[in-house]
């Protein structure tokens, strides 16, 4: 009799775990798409809101970096490789971002190694690696 009760409970637990994973994956897809679209429009100020609040507090964006972001336009954001799981609540993603300097009209690429952390309590993904380093040569 115990076995008959255990099986439905086990199935229910597995279904709930599957639902949580689906919710997390949907949240990741929505977050990565929103972040990519924000950067494609060159809106680095809004993109900063995707950065983990603890990271923002410990490493605020400098005035110099803000000035750099203002003089650049994003001409391409290539995230074709997609996110790669790196633990239960973390993914990594490598993105190539093509930038055009609005003053010189020269284009260059930077590689952005992103690390995203999932907060299950808020069903939210946070960028822990910070905004792209546009000072790369």
């Amino acid at each position: 009799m115990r076995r008959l009760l255990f099986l439905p409970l086990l199935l229910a637990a597995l279904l709930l775990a599957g639902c949580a994973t689906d919710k997390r994956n949907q949240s990741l897809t929505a977050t990565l798409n929103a972040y990519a679209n924000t950067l494609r429009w060159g809106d680095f100020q809004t993109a900063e809101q995707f950065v983990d609040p603890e990271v923002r507090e410990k490493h605020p964006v400098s005035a110099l970096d803000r000035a750099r972001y203002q003089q650049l336009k994003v001409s391409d954001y290539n995230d074709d490789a997609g996110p790669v799981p790196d633990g239960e609540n973390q993914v990594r993603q490598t993105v190539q971002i093509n930038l055009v300097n609005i003053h010189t009209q020269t284009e260059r690429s930077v590689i952005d190694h992103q690390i995203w952390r999932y907060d299950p309590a808020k069903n939210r993904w946070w960028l822990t690696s910070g905004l792209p380093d546009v000072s790369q040569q």
Side-chain angles (χ1 to χ4, degrees), residues 35 91-97 110-116 127-133 136:
Y35 181 74
V91 296
R92 292 179 178 272
Q93 177 171 256
T94 300
V95 176
Q96 178 179 326
I97 305 170
V110 296
I111 302 298
D112 186 25
H113 299 282
Q114 301 170 359
I115 302 172
W116 293 86
L127 180 63
T128 60
S129 53
L131 294 177
D133 178 7
Q136 298 176 36

Side-chain angles (χ1 to χ4, degrees), residues 3-123:
R3 219 177 200 171
L4 291 175
L5 291 175
F6 178 73
L7 187 59
L9 290 175
L10 178 64
L11 289 174
L14 289 173
L15 284 173
L16 287 175
C19 291
T21 300
D22 286 346
K23 190 175 184 181
R24 185 177 64 203
N25 289 340
Q26 289 172 352
S27 177
L28 175 62
T29 300
T31 300
L32 292 179
N33 286 338
Y35 181 74
N37 289 334
T38 300
L39 280 186
R40 283 184 179 108
W41 283 102
D43 189 354
F44 289 95
Q45 185 173 354
T46 300
E48 190 176 357
Q49 299 309 307
F50 288 85
V51 176
D52 187 320
E54 292 177 14
V55 173
R56 276 188 301 211
E57 186 177 319
K58 290 178 183 174
H59 307 284
V61 177
S62 69
L64 177 60
D65 283 335
R66 288 187 194 284
R68 285 180 176 139
Y69 292 138
Q70 288 178 350
Q71 69 182 9
L72 298 170
K73 294 290 181 191
V74 175
S75 61
D76 191 30
Y77 183 93
N78 185 341
D79 59 354
D80 290 343
V84 175
D86 185 31
E88 183 180 345
N89 289 318
Q90 185 168 293
V91 296
R92 292 179 178 272
Q93 177 171 256
T94 300
V95 176
Q96 178 179 326
I97 305 170
N98 292 350
L99 303 165
V100 176
N101 184 305
I102 61 172
H103 302 295
T104 63
Q105 292 300 301
T106 56
E107 184 177 35
R108 62 189 175 89
S109 296
V110 296
I111 302 298
D112 186 25
H113 299 282
Q114 301 170 359
I115 302 172
W116 293 86
R117 177 189 61 82
Y118 182 67
D119 180 351
K122 295 182 180 178
N123 186 35

